Structure formats: structure tokens, C-alpha cells
Amino acid sequence: MEIERHEYDVVVIGAGGAGLRAAIEARQAGLRTAVVCKSLFGKAHTVMAEGGIAASMGNVNSRDDWQVHFRDTMRGGKFLNNWRMAELHAREAPQRVWELETYGALFDRTPDGRISQRNFGGHEYPRLAHVGDRTGLELIRTLQQKVVSLQQEDHAEHGDYEARIKVFQECTVTELLKDGDRISGAFGYWRESGRFVLFDAPAVIMATGGIGKSFKVTSNSWEYTGDGHALALRAGASLINMEFVQFHPTGMVWPPSVNGILVTESVRGDGGVLRNSEGARFMFDYIPEVFKDNYADGEAEADRWYDDPDNNRRPPELLPRDEVARAINNEVKEGRGSQHGGVFLDVATRLSTETIVKRLPSMHHQFKELADVDITAEAMEVGPTCHYVMGGVEVDPDTAASKVPGLFACGEVAGGMHGSNRLGGNSLSDLLVFGRRAGAGAAGYLGALDARPSITESDVDAAARRAADPFNPGEGPGENPYALHSELQGVMNELVGIIRKGEEMQEALQKLRGLVARAEHLQVEGNRQFNPGWHLAIDLRNMLLVSECVARAALLRTESRGGHTRDDHPAMESKWRRRLLGCEISGDGIEVTEQPQRPMRPDLLELFKLEELRKYFTEDELADVRTEES
């Protein structure tokens, strides 16, 4: 069998913000680095992150610092975050933003010339560095250009010598290869030709993003099929926090062809308000007790905040995403929704046409072209959409290493940083901070490696056979991958969606096992040359595996916390505080186990008031906390 072969020190799977930042760090450490991506270079889903990059630079409010950012992140995650990841993220995010500027990023500016920062849900101060509502696009453009400049440096130094960093686009990785317990390479295929390709490398960095295409209504792009989660699982890694799936409160709901497409949180950050079909700003009715001191309880007080940002009582539209999504869901459920099953998001009342077009150009264009709605004069119809998975590969916070030697993960595919719910804007700073750390972690691992792991030819042959299985479905009726995918999305959306019940998730698991059995007989027609049905058949293996992780973990956690809401267990439960759920492959399925959360350092606990900490910790755990002042 003819297989194209390449040898590198590091293979980065994924060319979004996390993957590119990891690749840049690995290349600057002198490693020969390959970047492998499913789509075209520069088309990663990171471009859809519109609002900004959360970093406590203090450019708009000088009281902001890393401790406040850390505190906001832990509160948003209901204290199930990996606190060391949250600490590193808060400390290092400003440096990563300033670094982007040295790469050529063009941020919006304050009147005195500093990087501008905007408000976002769950953040105490204006914290998101932004480029209009196209921040993710600017981030990818900047990192892409940095990769190109490094390639030019290599060519200038070595002439025709191949650059030490190379991008392999429209290439899908189907399996990780190992030598004993250590990573030795990655096997995949070219999406256009169907030809197989092998990457011989002792270190692999996962940066594949999320799992949203397992759900029917999602803001995620077609690449988000849980590839990295599933590849890591099959290689022996564990996943953490998989029950926590974030449903962004504002996705488009009309027309049906655009259902789920993201409406950036910057609309609310810049003054947009949510109203139900009766015209009421309903979010005042949904402020949780824990947030009562920080959010306005009436329109007059909320309106004053826009003119006086030093006022700590923020509008309730800027509550964390899980709170807003549940509120919208309840308004619709109780009959106060819009004509098409959402609510109304109004930015025209507060902002002028000129300001909207300047600060929200993508949103203005998106609604005008896709829904024939002029947001400078009309309200948008919005509703919750599957947006982000907080769960992912369990990694060491400092090095981004998984428990499989040679396997690293960063960005959305890595778990722990966000706990039970992610704050808006933390995703872009997360991928920059831990993308860099993953690249450095891989360099450190390779520097200590005594011998390069080898690839066994029988493993390569087996990987090729498994990839080609859909062309040989065996006995019984062949299954259509498109039909199976549609059924999977329906199961996850209806039974493991934004509001969950135990009996429904039991039903979901039963249906998922049936889909797994049917997936053994997926059948595609034609050959391997650009065959979308074959691509989907391969993706379905990953989506089914990861969906089982989500459903099993969600069934086991009998409480509501963050992005996980149980109708039959509507409150947070003390028995689940500081308890995490890990997923591993066991036999033919997934085993979910409880594990205790690592205790937080006392100096970090002291950043919170004791009254708040008592909701999440026992008195024994708080014995070393010396002050109630935050």
C-alpha cells in the first residue's frame, strides 16, 4: 500500500489559534514542526470568535488586574476549574495580547492610543481587547502571518532547505500511533485525493477545537466533530468535565437555514438588551442570589451603568452565559418567546446607526444578508445554541501534557480551565496562553527523550484498513452516514441538550449504543477521491464516542451547575462540590469515574470572601484562609 510519509519533531493537529500559537512556540524552540488541519489554512473556527480577548490590561479601568480576572473565571466555572490553569491564564493573558500586537495585530484603540477593552458577561471590568466584532479573524490573520514569516526566515537562512514549520491543509488525522505507551506519530488522509499520509513524530499537540456538530442547533463549524477528544481517548488519555457543554444564549433562530449561527456577546456588551414577546426586560427576574450584589435589579439602575462603568451594578444581560441561556429557555417555555421560538435582542434603542455599523459590522451584515433584518432599526430574534465544550483532554496545567507521553492538548480540546462554564472572551486568551505552553511543553519533553519512538508497519496497515472500512460494510444493510449523523444530532439536541432529565439521558445512552452498532455498517459509494460521505463516516466514529462521554457524565452528575442543568436536580448539591468526572475507554464503551479536585492554594482562596467560599468548600478546607476581604 502506497502511503506518503513525513518526519517531524512535533505534529500540531489543528490550525486555529491554539494550534498556530503552539506551532510558533515549537518552531521557535528549534523543532521541525508540522501543522495539520482539516480545512484550508486560515479558515479555522477561531475566526467565529467575535467579541474579543479577555486580558486584565487595565486600559479602560485601572482597577482590573490578574487577581480579579482569576476570581471572575473561578466564579463563572462554579469553582470546578483547574485553579492552576485559571491562575496561569489570568497572569499571562495580557502578555499574550501585547505579543500579538508585536506580530502585527491591529486592535481598536482608546482615545489615548491604548488597546481598547469592552464589557462582557461575567467580567467585573471592561476586559476584552477587540477588533470590532471580528477579533477572531484578526487573531488568525496575525498568527498565520507569523507562521509565514518564520517560513521566510528559514528559507532566507537555508536557501532551498525545507522550512522548519510547514502546513498540511485539507488533511484529516484518523489515528495516533504509539510505541509502547509513547506517541510515535499520526496517520491520516488527504481529503481531496483520499491518499493516506503518515507523520512520524514523537510529539503530537492536539488543538482540534470542540464537539458541536454532534448537536442539531450549534454555532460550530463543520470541523467541530470531536476529533481531538476521540483521538486522545483512543490513545489512552482521559477526558475531564465532559458533562459541561455551553449553550451560548444568543444564536440566530430565523430563518431555519441559519438556526444556531452565533450572535456575538459584544452586542450585549455594547448595550444590547433582551426582551420577551411582551416587551419586558426579563433578565431582572433571573439574577441568582450569589450575583445579587453585582447586578442591577431595575431598568433605571441598569441604564445608569452604561454612563457610569465604575458602578459595580451591571445590567443582568451581562450575567454569565449559562444564566442567560437558562433564562431565555424559560421565557420561551412559559410562552413569552418570539414568533420563531426565541427572544428579542435590541441594540438599536441604545446605540446610533453609525455606532452599530462601526462597532458591530459583522452582526449588521450577517442579519441584513441572512435574515433581512436591519439591526440598526429592528430587534434580532435569538435563542440558545450549542457553542462550546468545557470538557476535554485532562492535561498538566504548566506543560499541557496529557497522561500519554508525547501527547499534549490546548484550546477547546483541553479540559479543566473553564470548570463548569466559560466566560466569554476567555477562549481566545486560553488558546494563546496554553497554545504557547503546549509548544514549550512539547519542546521540553523532546529535550528529555532518550530515544525516538518508532512506528510499527502493522499499526500503519491496521490504521489504513480502519479508515477504508466504510467502503467494505460487511454483512447486513449498509447505513447511510448522513442519516446516522442526523439521528445523532437529534438525540443529543433533544435528550442531552440545554435542560436535562435522568430518564431522557438514559434513553439517549440506549439510542447512542444502537447508533454505535449501526455505525459498524456505515457504507459509502464511489472511491476515496474527494468523497464527503466517507469524510462524514470517519467523523461519526469520533462524534459517537464523544457523545457517549457527554451523556454518561451528565447522567452521573445529579445536580445543576454551570453549563449542566438538570430539571430533576435543579440546584447545586454540596456532595458534588469539588468533585470532577473523568472519562476513559473501557472495553467497548466509556467508563466515567469520580475524582477529587486538587485543593486550591490558600493565597488564591484569600481573593474571595469567606461567605462566598462557604458555598463551595467545607470549613476544614477553609481553615488556612485568613481574611474575608476580596
Side-chain angles (χ1 to χ4, degrees):
M1 182 182 303
E2 184 179 346
I3 297 176
E4 183 180 334
R5 295 172 186 255
H6 300 276
E7 184 177 304
Y8 283 90
D9 298 319
V10 177
V11 171
V12 180
I13 304 175
L20 293 184
R21 187 60 189 85
I24 289 167
E25 192 69 18
R27 157 60 182 79
Q28 290 180 326
L31 303 179
R32 293 170 300 148
T33 305
V35 179
V36 182
C37 54
K38 285 174 79 170
S39 58
L40 293 168
F41 189 43
K43 293 289 187 181
H45 188 60
T46 303
V47 303
M48 296 304 294
E50 297 155 320
I53 308 171
S56 57
M57 296 183 287
N59 290 349
V60 173
N61 191 315
S62 60
R63 289 183 294 179
D64 199 13
D65 59 24
W66 77 262
Q67 290 99 330
V68 182
H69 191 182
F70 169 80
R71 195 165 63 220
D72 291 343
T73 298
M74 294 300 298
R75 284 171 173 161
K78 305 296 189 289
F79 283 80
L80 285 188
N81 318 61
N82 182 312
W83 58 262
R84 175 59 175 164
M85 293 181 80
E87 179 193 11
L88 290 171
H89 168 258
R91 284 180 180 272
E92 297 178 7
Q95 186 178 351
R96 300 282 74 78
V97 173
W98 290 320
E99 180 181 64
L100 270 185
E101 198 170 33
T102 70
Y103 291 173
L106 300 172
F107 290 102
D108 293 344
R109 319 304 290 192
T110 62
D112 61 357
R114 291 180 291 177
I115 294 174
S116 182
Q117 297 183 271
R118 64 161 45 116
N119 292 294
F120 240 54
H123 294 280
E124 186 166 345
Y125 299 117
R127 186 176 288 147
L128 271 70
H130 54 87
V131 184
D133 58 357
R134 297 171 177 166
T135 311
L137 180 61
E138 179 69 2
L139 187 150
I140 285 293
R141 182 201 68 78
T142 301
L143 293 178
Q144 182 179 356
Q145 187 56 44
K146 180 64 175 177
V147 169
V148 172
S149 71
L150 290 172
Q151 292 174 328
Q152 291 171 337
E153 283 182 20
D154 286 341
H155 287 303
E157 184 177 349
H158 301 289
D160 291 334
Y161 176 75
E162 186 174 282
R164 282 175 288 173
I165 183 169
K166 186 174 181 179
V167 177
F168 296 83
Q169 59 184 351
E170 293 190 292
C171 182
T172 294
V173 172
T174 61
E175 286 195 38
L176 300 181
L177 303 177
K178 295 168 66 178
D179 180 0
D181 65 342
R182 300 185 301 176
I183 291 292
S184 60
F187 179 89
Y189 70 94
W190 294 106
R191 297 179 70 84
E192 182 177 1
S193 66
R195 292 175 56 206
F196 293 132
V197 58
L198 175 66
F199 296 94
D200 183 325
V204 169
I205 299 174
M206 284 293 173
T208 52
I211 67 168
K213 292 308 287 185
S214 293
F215 290 80
K216 185 176 182 180
V217 180
T218 180
S219 66
N220 291 178
S221 65
W222 65 270
E223 301 102 326
Y224 270 34
T225 53
D227 296 1
H229 292 76
L231 287 167
L233 261 181
R234 289 197 290 263
S238 57
L239 305 185
I240 198 79
N241 293 346
M242 289 304 293
E243 67 270 37
F244 298 120
V245 178
Q246 182 178 84
F247 290 81
H248 194 292
T250 57
M252 296 180 73
V253 299
W254 188 260
S257 60
V258 298
N259 194 8
I261 291 180
L262 187 65
V263 179
T264 175
E265 193 169 336
S266 26
V267 175
R268 285 176 286 131
D270 286 348
V273 299
L274 291 166
R275 301 186 187 276
N276 60 24
S277 59
E278 299 170 1
R281 281 182 70 179
F282 58 87
M283 283 305 304
F284 293 106
D285 300 328
Y286 293 94
I287 304 173
E289 192 63 36
V290 70
F291 290 119
K292 287 289 186 183
D293 293 340
N294 302 109
Y295 288 87
D297 56 9
E299 288 201 43
E301 186 177 32
D303 288 344
R304 281 199 303 272
W305 180 88
Y306 292 106
D307 301 318
D308 180 19
D310 285 339
N311 180 351
N312 245 15
R313 305 267 286 179
R314 303 186 288 282
E317 282 86 0
L318 295 181
L319 277 160
R321 288 173 174 177
D322 58 323
E323 309 291 355
V324 181
R326 279 194 292 270
I328 292 174
N329 187 79
N330 195 63
E331 288 294 302
V332 174
K333 183 179 178 181
E334 294 188 0
R336 296 184 293 273
S338 67
Q339 179 183 354
H340 301 109
V343 295
F344 298 102
L345 174 57
D346 171 25
V347 73
T349 300
R350 181 167 301 281
L351 300 183
S352 67
T353 296
E354 181 183 4
T355 302
I356 293 171
V357 172
K358 180 181 178 180
R359 294 182 66 87
L360 303 167
S362 293
M363 288 299 97
H364 181 256
H365 177 79
Q366 178 174 309
F367 272 88
K368 191 66 177 172
E369 295 299 317
L370 300 181
D372 195 27
V373 169
D374 180 0
I375 69 171
T376 67
E378 306 170 72
M380 300 161 255
E381 279 191 78
V382 298
T385 178
C386 176
H387 182 59
Y388 193 93
V389 60
M390 277 68 75
V393 182
E394 192 171 10
V395 296
D396 175 78
D398 292 83
T399 64
S402 75
K403 71 176 185 178
V404 179
L407 180 61
F408 302 79
C410 54
E412 190 173 354
V413 72
M417 157 66 196
H418 305 288
S420 66
N421 181 49
R422 175 179 69 81
L423 298 185
N426 272 0
S427 59
L428 292 187
S429 41
D430 168 21
L431 59 84
L432 291 171
V433 168
F434 293 104
R436 174 186 168 273
R437 284 189 167 269
Y445 169 78
L446 291 175
L449 203 60
D450 53 357
R452 187 183 180 96
S454 60
I455 291 176
T456 305
E457 287 304 313
S458 60
D459 290 343
V460 177
D461 293 340
R465 283 196 301 273
R466 281 190 287 271
D469 274 350
F471 294 103
N472 306 289
E475 297 180 3
E479 293 282 351
N480 185 309
Y482 295 99
L484 208 66
H485 184 214
S486 180
E487 288 187 50
L488 169 63
Q489 290 180 315
V491 168
M492 294 303 290
N493 226 80
E494 294 160 20
L495 303 177
V496 200
I498 185 170
I499 306 295
R500 301 162 175 173
K501 297 179 181 178
E503 63 270 21
E504 291 182 348
M505 288 186 290
Q506 290 279 16
E507 181 185 351
L509 282 168
Q510 193 173 26
K511 290 185 174 182
L512 285 172
R513 296 312 297 168
L515 292 175
V516 168
R518 289 166 56 193
E520 294 294 320
H521 304 285
L522 286 171
Q523 183 174 13
V524 296
E525 303 295 332
N527 55 44
R528 300 204 313 256
Q529 291 182 336
F530 196 79
N531 189 326
W534 181 45
H535 304 333
L536 181 58
I538 289 175
D539 290 341
L540 268 168
R541 297 174 184 170
N542 299 331
M543 287 187 277
L544 287 165
L545 186 62
V546 174
S547 295
E548 185 176 348
C549 291
V550 173
R552 288 197 180 280
L555 178 62
L556 187 57
R557 183 172 288 276
T558 51
E559 67 161 353
S560 293
R561 187 185 296 262
H564 172 65
T565 301
R566 289 284 296 264
D567 219 18
D568 47 356
H569 297 278
M572 287 194 296
E573 299 288 344
S574 59
K575 69 176 182 178
W576 281 106
R577 62 188 178 191
R578 304 192 58 243
R579 303 296 297 176
L580 306 177
L581 295 178
C583 300
E584 294 184 348
I585 287 183
S586 176
D588 294 330
I590 295 296
E591 181 180 10
V592 182
T593 56
E594 290 185 39
Q595 60 189 66
Q597 190 179 24
R598 178 183 167 199
M600 193 189 301
R601 288 201 321 264
D603 63 299
L604 296 177
L605 285 171
E606 288 169 9
L607 298 174
F608 304 88
K609 292 181 179 179
L610 275 173
E611 180 183 359
E612 179 179 10
L613 292 176
R614 288 190 176 110
K615 296 181 177 72
Y616 302 101
F617 298 86
T618 67
E619 290 299 326
D620 287 344
E621 291 167 335
L622 298 176
D624 293 330
V625 180
R626 294 185 293 273
T627 177
E628 294 195 15
E629 298 301 322
S630 68

